[in-house]
């Protein structure tokens, strides 16, 4: 049940808003939508969760998720495309880390809302 009496940081869309503010809000909403689409996959969520604790090699991610290299690489490519992770080569190994603190914050909130016992 939604508690409508709790304080919120959300804008009041029913209030008068100048066109520049409304356009900025639209652009921000598009950016948020892009990030949410990028993480709206079980495999990508699990990868981000693993990377929230620090850099991991592709092999480590494969092992943690019990997934094949091709599947992990495909998901990492999507996350890289959206600018959420970055790669670093060390010899034959490729290591990934989060590049956007917002992704870590979103993952923590998703975990709190859907996974944490309490």
């Amino acid at each position: 049940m939604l508690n409508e009496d709790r304080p919120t940081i959300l804008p009041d869309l029913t209030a008068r808003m100048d066109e520049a503010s409304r356009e900025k809000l639209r652009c921000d909403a598009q950016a948020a939508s892009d990030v949410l689409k990028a993480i709206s996959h079980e495999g990508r969520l699990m990868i981000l969760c693993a990377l929230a604790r620090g850099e991991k090699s592709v092999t480590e991610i494969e092992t943690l998720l019990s997934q094949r290299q091709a599947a992990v690489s495909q998901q990492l490519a999507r996350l890289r495309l959206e600018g959420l992770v970055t790669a670093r080569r060390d010899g034959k190994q490729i290591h990934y880390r989060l590049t956007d603190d917002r992704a870590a914050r979103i993952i923590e909130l998703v975990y709190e809302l859907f996974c944490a016992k309490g």
Side-chain angles (χ1 to χ4, degrees), residues 61-87:
I61 296 169
E62 290 170 36
T63 302
L64 286 170
L65 302 182
S66 301
Q67 290 193 356
R68 296 170 56 162
Q69 186 269 333
V72 170
S73 291
Q74 181 181 17
Q75 301 310 328
L76 285 166
R78 173 68 190 271
L79 293 170
R80 210 172 44 248
L81 180 69
E82 296 298 333
L84 298 176
V85 300
T86 190

Side-chain angles (χ1 to χ4, degrees), residues 14-78:
T14 62
R16 294 182 72 80
M17 189 181 291
D18 62 67
E19 190 56 36
S21 297
R22 190 170 300 282
E23 183 58 27
K24 181 181 180 328
L25 188 58
R26 278 189 202 103
C27 289
D28 292 346
Q30 181 63 54
S33 174
D34 292 344
V35 169
L36 292 172
K37 286 176 191 174
I39 67 173
S40 66
H41 181 279
E42 176 186 344
R44 292 190 292 268
L45 278 172
M46 294 296 290
I47 289 170
L48 291 170
C49 189
L51 295 178
R53 293 224 172 231
E55 184 180 86
K56 304 271 185 298
S57 71
V58 174
T59 304
E60 289 174 302
I61 296 169
E62 290 170 36
T63 302
L64 286 170
L65 302 182
S66 301
Q67 290 193 356
R68 296 170 56 162
Q69 186 269 333
V72 170
S73 291
Q74 181 181 17
Q75 301 310 328
L76 285 166
R78 173 68 190 271

